[in-house]
């Protein structure tokens, strides 16, 4: 009896342990790639990468200390091992640390297990020397990251992968004046500046004081990465999009109903194949003010975009709620139709293939309103060439007719007049588009362009 009870108790314990082991799966979380603080305040974050020798660290610290400026140092584990006293000096002056890996490999070319080793070793060395953690900030060696590495880094507690707004390329040995001019002339609120502490960055110590003086004169203040991000949240406002893992410029362009070239132009992109996770893109738009009777569907139809594109461009939580006077951003698609002031009624000439339903849908009105305005006996009987009054509200967007060219092969018995009547266009429009010498001379088998609407 005791044996049975003991076995039952053991089985119950094993089942409980099994359920606890598998009941709480780990949720994967990608690190957010940040290249700029999302702020309108004139603040700048100076960041310094220390890969191995840190030869210019002391000079950099002297300038920062003299100006009472705190910066962020992204240090490798090997650098910390090579010059531990410099790491202590950075910590003692109150600067911030970020993890730059242990040995500076390309994170897109190593496994998740190797990434863990690199970050854990780097963190352990820096924390042991300085007493400070590098989490949650990481900077990728060579700035090289992809979706897999961002996921691996995020799962290790490095929720912020820090890129840069301005790369001084100081490691190439460029002059102090070049570094200064590049930073000062391209200064924007929330910018993150990338510099280096190594012996290759010979111009950095000399440039630092000049940059500080000129940026201060422009009204800039100097902050660490944590201070920058605590005053800003990486969220997209209306007309903006934050790049997510796996997205391409083509996919984003399709989402908002714009072209890749329009995105590239609006964001001054030099390479349409290179965007970063976390990067904020400006979506080129035009504005439309909501009027009485408007719906998102009506506005979408008038501008030849989808409701979903309007929702995305305006960050709308409920596409069914619009307010009169509300400004809606319309994706600036090539050929976007600009709303024109219209009278209370407009005239429309019925064309081949038209139905009252298709006409009503085109103008965002009801079939019954057209029947009533034209005193039609039946909604099912209209004829090609008939002129209908369309009752539209003041401010309604009326789509401009977009000519569509179709080809027609002349058959026996055809005249230009009969063809024009068939398609609801004028004889002159066919003559003009086909550059005909005479409206009376066409040949069987001749292919004519018909400018239909």
């Amino acid at each position: 009896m005791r044996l049975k009870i003991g076995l039952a108790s053991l089985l119950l314990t094993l089942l409980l342990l099994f359920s606890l082991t598998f009941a709480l799966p780990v949720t994967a979380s990608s690190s957010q790639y940040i290249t700029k603080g999302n702020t309108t305040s004139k603040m700048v974050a100076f960041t310094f990468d220390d890969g191995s020798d840190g030869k210019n660290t002391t000079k950099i610290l002297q300038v920062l200390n003299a100006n009472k400026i705190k910066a962020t140092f992204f240090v490798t584990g090997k650098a910390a091992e090579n010059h531990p006293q410099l790491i202590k000096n950075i910590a003692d002056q109150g600067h911030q640390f970020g993890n730059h890996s242990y040995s500076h490999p390309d994170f897109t070319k190593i496994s998740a297990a190797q990434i863990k080793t690199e970050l854990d070793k780097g963190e352990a060395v820096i924390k042991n020397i300085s007493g400070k953690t590098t989490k949650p900030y990481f900077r990728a060696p060579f700035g090289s990251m992809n979706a897999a590495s961002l996921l691996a880094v995020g799962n290790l507690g490095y929720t912020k992968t820090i890129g840069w707004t301005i790369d001084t390329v100081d490691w190439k040995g460029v002059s102090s004046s070049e570094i200064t001019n590049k930073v000062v002339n391209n200064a924007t609120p929330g910018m993150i500046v990338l510099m280096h502490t190594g012996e290759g960055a010979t111009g950095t110590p000399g440039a630092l004081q000049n940059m500080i003086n000129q940026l201060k004169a422009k009204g800039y203040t100097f902050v660490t990465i944590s201070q920058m991000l605590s005053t800003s949240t990486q969220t997209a406002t209306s007309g903006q999009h934050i790049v997510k893992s796996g997205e391409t410029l083509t996919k984003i362009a399709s989402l908002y109903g714009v072209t890749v070239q329009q995105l590239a132009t609006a964001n001054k992109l030099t390479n349409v194949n290179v965007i970063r996770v976390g990067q904020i893109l400006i979506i080129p738009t035009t504005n439309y003010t909501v009027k009485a009777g408007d719906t998102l569907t009506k506005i979408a139809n008038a501008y030849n975009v989808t409701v979903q594109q309007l929702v995305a461009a305006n960050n709308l939580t409920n596409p069914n709620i619009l307010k009169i006077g509300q400004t809606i951003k319309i994706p600036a698609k090539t050929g976007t139709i600009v709303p024109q002031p219209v009278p209370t009624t407009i005239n429309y000439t019925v064309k081949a293939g038209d139905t009252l339903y298709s006409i009503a849908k085109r103008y965002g009105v009801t079939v019954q309103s057209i029947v009533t305005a034209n005193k039609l006996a039946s909604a099912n009987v209209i004829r090609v060439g008939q002129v209908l009054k369309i009752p539209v509200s003041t401010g309604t967007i009326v789509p401009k007719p977009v000519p569509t060219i179709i080809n027609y092969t002349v058959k026996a018995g055809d005249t230009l007049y009969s063809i024009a009547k068939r398609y609801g266009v004028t004889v002159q429009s066919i003559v003009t588009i086909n550059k005909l010498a005479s409206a009376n001379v066409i040949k069987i088998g001749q292919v004519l362009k018909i400018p239909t609407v």
Side-chain angles (χ1 to χ4, degrees):
M1 184 68 175
R2 288 179 180 175
L3 180 60
K4 287 182 179 179
I5 293 172
L7 285 172
S9 176
L10 179 60
L11 286 171
L12 183 62
T13 302
L14 288 172
L15 284 171
L16 180 60
L17 287 171
F18 184 86
S19 65
L20 287 173
T21 301
F22 294 97
L24 298 172
V26 175
T27 302
S29 176
S30 288
S31 181
Q32 183 183 12
Y33 196 103
I34 297 170
T35 59
K36 186 173 182 287
N38 186 27
T39 178
T40 57
S41 299
K42 285 189 172 183
M43 55 177 62
V44 54
F46 282 159
T47 66
F48 300 89
D49 286 5
D50 186 355
S52 59
D53 62 89
K55 185 174 181 179
N56 290 305
T57 301
T58 298
K59 293 178 182 177
I60 290 169
L61 289 176
Q62 288 172 348
V63 177
L64 293 175
N65 189 49
N67 290 274
K68 297 180 180 179
I69 289 173
K70 305 303 179 188
T72 305
F73 288 78
F74 290 91
V75 182
T76 65
K78 282 189 175 180
E81 288 175 343
N82 290 344
H83 42 261
Q85 186 56 52
L86 292 180
I87 303 305
K88 289 180 181 178
N89 294 344
I90 292 171
D92 289 345
Q93 288 190 17
H95 300 291
Q96 186 173 43
F97 286 103
N99 200 325
H100 198 36
S101 79
Y102 176 76
S103 62
H104 209 270
D106 185 330
F107 270 43
T108 65
K109 297 178 180 178
I110 61 177
S111 67
Q114 290 171 313
I115 287 176
K116 176 174 170 55
T117 299
E118 284 287 331
L119 292 179
D120 286 352
K121 285 183 70 175
E123 161 77 357
V125 174
I126 295 167
K127 191 171 184 179
N128 183 54
I129 295 172
S130 69
K132 292 185 176 184
T133 183
T134 59
K135 293 182 180 180
Y137 305 111
F138 165 70
R139 173 167 284 161
F142 314 106
S144 183
M145 292 293 283
N146 57 20
S149 51
L150 282 169
L151 182 61
V153 168
N155 284 334
L156 294 170
Y158 292 91
T159 56
K160 310 293 182 186
T161 295
I162 308 301
W164 50 83
T165 315
I166 297 177
D167 182 358
T168 61
V169 295
D170 56 347
W171 56 273
K172 291 184 177 181
V174 297
S175 67
S176 296
S177 60
E178 287 179 276
I179 295 171
T180 301
N181 290 337
K182 187 171 188 178
V183 173
V184 174
N185 293 341
N186 295 284
T188 55
M191 69 177 176
I192 299 171
V193 180
L194 168 62
M195 293 174 278
H196 295 78
T197 63
E199 63 179 352
T202 53
T204 299
L208 202 51
Q209 186 62 61
N210 289 333
M211 282 191 289
I212 292 169
N213 292 342
Q214 293 185 45
L215 288 171
K216 277 185 176 179
K218 286 190 170 189
Y220 279 86
T221 58
F222 305 87
V223 296
T224 62
I225 288 296
S226 62
Q227 289 171 329
M228 175 78 77
L229 299 184
S230 67
T231 59
S232 65
T233 54
Q234 199 77 349
T235 57
T237 60
S238 177
Q240 293 182 334
H241 176 84
I242 297 178
V243 178
K244 301 176 184 64
S245 178
E247 286 187 328
T248 63
L249 213 60
T250 301
K251 186 183 291 186
I252 296 168
S254 176
L255 172 64
Y256 290 97
V258 297
T259 66
V260 169
Q261 187 54 52
Q262 286 172 330
L263 283 179
T265 301
N267 293 277
K268 299 179 181 178
L269 302 179
T270 55
N271 188 340
V272 296
N273 297 313
V274 179
I275 54 175
R276 300 188 182 99
V277 174
Q279 182 176 356
I280 294 182
L281 295 177
I282 298 169
I283 307 300
T285 59
T286 56
N287 290 335
Y288 171 74
T289 303
V290 176
K291 299 175 179 62
D294 278 341
T295 65
L296 213 59
T297 301
K298 186 185 292 186
I299 297 170
N301 288 340
Y303 281 92
N304 196 28
V305 296
T306 67
V307 169
Q308 184 53 45
Q309 287 165 347
L310 290 180
V311 168
N314 293 276
N315 296 331
L316 300 178
T317 55
N318 189 339
N320 298 315
I321 298 177
L322 292 178
K323 298 176 183 175
I324 296 173
Q326 179 179 352
T327 299
I328 295 292
K329 291 184 182 295
I330 313 292
K333 191 172 183 178
T334 302
T336 292
I337 302 162
V338 179
Q340 300 293 326
V342 295
T344 304
T345 61
I346 62 172
N347 292 331
Y348 176 77
T349 303
V350 178
K351 297 173 181 61
D354 277 341
T355 65
L356 218 56
Y357 174 76
S358 67
I359 298 170
K361 184 178 180 182
R362 177 184 179 85
Y363 287 95
V365 297
T366 64
V367 170
Q368 187 56 50
S369 66
I370 299 179
V371 169
T372 303
N374 293 275
K375 300 178 181 179
L376 300 179
S378 170
N380 299 315
V381 181
I382 54 175
R383 62 180 186 278
V384 175
Q386 181 178 358
V387 178
L388 296 176
K389 293 179 180 179
I390 310 297
V392 295
S393 302
T394 302
T396 296
I397 307 166
V398 178
K400 290 181 179 179
V402 180
T404 302
I405 307 301
I406 64 172
N407 292 327
Y408 176 78
T409 304
V410 178
K411 299 175 179 62
D414 278 340
T415 64
L416 218 56
Y417 175 76
S418 67
I419 297 170
K421 185 176 180 181
R422 175 187 180 91
Y423 286 97
V425 297
T426 64
V427 170
Q428 187 56 49
S429 67
I430 300 178
V431 169
T432 301
I433 197 168
N434 291 279
K435 300 178 181 178
L436 301 178
S438 170
N440 300 315
V441 181
I442 54 175
K443 296 180 289 187
I444 295 174
Q446 182 178 357
V447 177
L448 295 175
K449 293 179 180 178
I450 311 297
T452 65
V453 177

